[in-house]
Amino acid sequence: MMATQPTFTPRFAKEEGTIADIFTTLGSNADTAPLPARFAALKKEVLHDLGATPEALRQAWNGVLKALEGRTEEIIAKRGDIIPRLPYADIEAGLSEVQRDTIRKTGVVIVTGGVPKEEALAWKASIKDYIAANPVKGFPAGNIQAYEIYNTKPQIHARTHPAVLNTQKALLSLWHTSNSPSSIDFTTPISYFDRLRIRTPGDRSFTLGPHIDGGSVERWEDTAFRRVWSKILQGGPKGWESFDPFDASWRVNAKQDLYNTPNQCTILRCWQGWTSMSSTGVNEGTLRVLPMLSLATAYIILRPFFKPRAVTTGTSTDQNQEASRARRNVSLAQEDWELNLDGSEFPGSVPGKTQELNEVTHPHLRLAETMVSSPRIEPGDQVYWHCDTVHAVEGEHKGKDDSSVLYTPAAPLSVKNAAYLRDQRINFVHGLPAPDFPGGEGESKFSGRATPQDITTRRGRQAMGFEPFVATSPDNAALVEEANRVLFG
């Protein structure tokens, strides 16, 4: 018998809004002001804190630039074929080491099948009925493409679907931690509520440029988060090669939301992902990714510490000069870049927003050529990308049918995640938005929204925080006990 559940969440609700609030490029003014002078001091603080030296930084930078030359050319040549694609049957049978290594390298994977096509299409039809019956909100306001909806019955069915949970468990198994006893259980996915998208043909408004979820300047500013990148910043020319993006040891306590803004993920969400409700191909408003996880991450982490030569930095005018130079195809050669430890620039980083990238801010990634669109996806297919993977949405939907997905991220069980799961459960019961997302009354007055009774399996009820977890080995027994205490008292 479950313990009595609290009837209110201790978290403060986020302000009302939409997905546009987290993206500079979706706002009314895409221009950004220079960061305050304290961010120049932050660079030196990071190096001192991690024991890195300017010389090691320079060696790391040169090593990464050299490696990027070959990897960018490989991606340009292979395009979407470089994205690993596997049938759900392989999830059930167990991923091979070759498959695991390919997923680790690219940071993205497509899983076909699993959810029956007819079931996924029925989800979309039900959601459209729900939208028609209720005063929904989303972006853009006059022609919604991304809906601020979290509590429909199809979303609950997708989050608790065996094929979705099994896929998430398989992908979480690529992660590990050196903490002992383990502070994370990667064998137990929990449900992290997210919104949905129904993008209509011809749409140009829901254009998300290249970005990374989970904070921006927090990557350097938060003392735990920055330690995730220690080997990149410390290791000289080959240090980035020993960086393991699947080591969660420091991530579990990293704070990705220093500015407490809506849409900013507060938990360890290892994989972002979605389950398709439509047949969508290239140029039909689909996902785009940069399929080189470790190398791109190393470049992004090092980028604030370097600038093109002969460009003075530190003021608004100077930053405009750097942007202008970049737009004129600034040289990518190592010798044409120098250390920048005195300027406050963290390119693409705006406090309270997501980390955004473009040809100006991160020229060596050659994003105009290396961002590749997902190959054709059918209803019921799943796509997942690592939380550090650069991704985007195509600028225009040129197809004839809608491009529709339910966002179904993969998050593991931990004490911190259990605390979020508890508060998310409370919001769900009351029809409110999930705690990390824009607040307000949400769907509390909507007709036809989901209730706990719509969760029909024990595993689903556990993933949603309505039933205690069960330890599967001595290794996770203590963690499971503590997580259950957080959830149920």
Side-chain angles (χ1 to χ4, degrees):
M1 183 176 180
M2 286 195 301
T4 302
Q5 300 173 21
T7 57
F8 65 92
T9 172
R11 296 176 192 260
F12 290 105
K14 301 291 181 72
E15 295 180 1
E16 290 191 55
T18 69
I19 193 172
D21 298 326
I22 198 68
F23 289 95
T24 302
T25 51
L26 283 182
S28 58
N29 183 3
D31 294 331
T32 58
L35 293 176
R38 67 182 177 89
F39 285 95
L42 175 61
K43 293 181 182 179
K44 297 181 177 65
E45 176 189 319
V46 169
L47 298 190
H48 180 268
D49 188 24
L50 299 181
T53 66
E55 179 56 28
L57 213 61
R58 163 59 77 180
Q59 291 178 354
W61 175 254
N62 288 345
V64 166
L65 295 192
K66 180 64 176 176
L68 277 171
E69 293 175 8
R71 183 59 174 168
T72 52
E73 290 297 337
E74 180 185 7
I75 293 171
I76 292 168
K78 294 183 178 179
R79 304 303 298 163
D81 291 339
I82 204 169
I83 298 175
R85 185 184 186 97
L86 53 95
Y88 177 68
D90 286 3
I91 295 292
E92 293 183 303
L95 298 176
S96 70
E97 280 306 311
V98 172
Q99 289 173 324
R100 293 166 71 90
D101 288 344
T102 304
I103 295 170
R104 289 188 184 103
K105 183 176 182 180
T106 59
V108 61
V109 62
I110 297 171
V111 178
T112 61
V115 176
K117 180 177 181 178
E118 297 75 15
E119 189 171 3
L121 290 174
W123 289 345
K124 181 169 64 175
S126 175
I127 288 169
K128 287 184 174 181
D129 289 342
Y130 184 82
I131 290 171
N134 294 291
V136 298
K137 296 181 180 179
F139 175 86
N143 182 27
I144 299 175
Q145 308 292 313
Y147 289 84
E148 295 300 319
I149 294 176
Y150 307 89
N151 300 309
T152 67
K153 293 181 180 181
Q155 284 171 298
I156 298 305
H157 295 157
R159 292 164 186 155
T160 60
H161 196 284
V164 173
L165 291 175
N166 288 340
T167 300
Q168 293 180 349
K169 181 178 179 180
L171 295 178
L172 288 173
S173 74
L174 273 65
W175 286 74
H176 63 92
T177 176
S178 59
N179 298 334
S180 184
S182 179
S183 57
I184 311 171
D185 180 7
F186 293 111
T187 69
T188 305
I190 65 168
S191 182
Y192 181 83
F193 284 29
D194 207 330
R195 49 173 70 83
L196 62 88
R197 179 188 83 212
I198 300 180
R199 194 176 186 194
T200 53
D203 175 65
R204 295 182 180 181
S205 62
F206 188 62
T207 302
L208 302 183
H211 65 280
I212 310 170
D213 298 321
S216 58
V217 290
E218 286 92 342
R219 286 174 170 77
W220 301 269
E221 194 171 5
D222 179 65
T223 55
F225 209 171
R226 72 176 63 147
R227 279 170 170 72
V228 173
W229 331 113
S230 295
K231 291 183 179 179
I232 294 172
L233 295 166
Q234 295 170 344
K238 295 292 185 178
W240 72 268
E241 294 184 354
S242 61
F243 163 66
D244 183 357
F246 293 90
D247 183 353
S249 301
W250 284 106
R251 292 180 192 264
V252 66
N253 291 317
K255 190 170 179 59
Q256 305 168 84
D257 62 324
L258 290 175
Y259 299 91
N260 194 37
T261 52
N263 302 290
Q264 206 64 289
C265 183
T266 62
I267 72 168
L268 176 59
R269 179 182 57 184
C270 296
W271 296 92
Q272 179 58 292
W274 46 249
T275 301
S276 178
M277 299 185 293
S278 61
S279 178
T280 308
V282 177
N283 293 323
E284 296 180 350
T286 194
L287 173 76
R288 306 184 76 209
V289 295
L290 177 63
M292 55 168 164
L293 178 55
S294 296
L295 183 53
T297 300
Y299 176 78
I300 292 163
I301 293 302
L302 291 166
R303 175 64 180 92
F305 300 93
F306 293 88
K307 64 180 180 180
R309 289 189 183 277
V311 176
T312 306
T313 58
T315 68
S316 177
T317 300
D318 294 331
Q319 285 194 340
N320 289 337
Q321 288 177 353
E322 181 171 355
S324 176
R325 180 179 173 87
R327 290 189 182 95
R328 296 196 304 270
N329 297 317
V330 64
S331 171
L332 303 184
Q334 295 177 11
E335 60 269 21
D336 292 330
W337 288 72
E338 63 186 359
L339 279 168
N340 178 20
L341 300 182
D342 296 315
S344 64
E345 301 84 5
F346 281 75
S349 301
V350 176
K353 302 284 187 178
T354 198
Q355 178 68 42
E356 299 190 61
L357 307 90
N358 56 48
E359 291 272 296
V360 175
T361 61
H362 297 81
H364 295 87
L365 294 179
R366 300 173 63 183
L367 294 170
E369 302 167 279
T370 57
M371 293 293 294
V372 299
S373 295
S374 169
R376 181 156 294 279
I377 298 294
E378 298 298 334
D381 291 350
Q382 302 171 69
V383 184
Y384 290 90
W385 57 98
H386 184 285
C387 56
D388 295 337
T389 297
V390 180
H391 58 288
V393 177
E394 289 180 335
E396 182 179 359
H397 181 356
K398 299 178 181 179
K400 297 180 179 179
D401 300 306
D402 61 72
S403 174
S404 304
V405 303
L406 299 173
Y407 292 101
T408 50
L413 180 65
S414 71
V415 174
K416 181 178 180 180
N417 284 11
Y420 182 88
L421 184 62
R422 174 200 61 208
D423 298 343
Q424 177 183 264
R425 177 188 65 200
I426 296 167
N427 283 19
F428 165 61
V429 169
H430 293 89
L432 301 174
D436 279 348
F437 294 85
E441 67 178 21
E443 299 156 74
S444 60
K445 299 178 182 178
F446 284 15
S447 62
R449 65 177 169 86
T451 69
Q453 286 66 44
D454 293 301
I455 312 169
T456 59
T457 66
R458 182 186 184 191
R459 190 180 182 195
R461 291 182 65 80
Q462 288 174 330
M464 298 271 289
F466 284 95
E467 190 163 325
F469 295 98
V470 178
T472 56
S473 73
D475 292 336
N476 70 354
L479 169 59
V480 167
E481 181 180 0
E482 189 171 357
N484 284 337
R485 186 179 304 115
V486 170
L487 282 162
F488 306 111

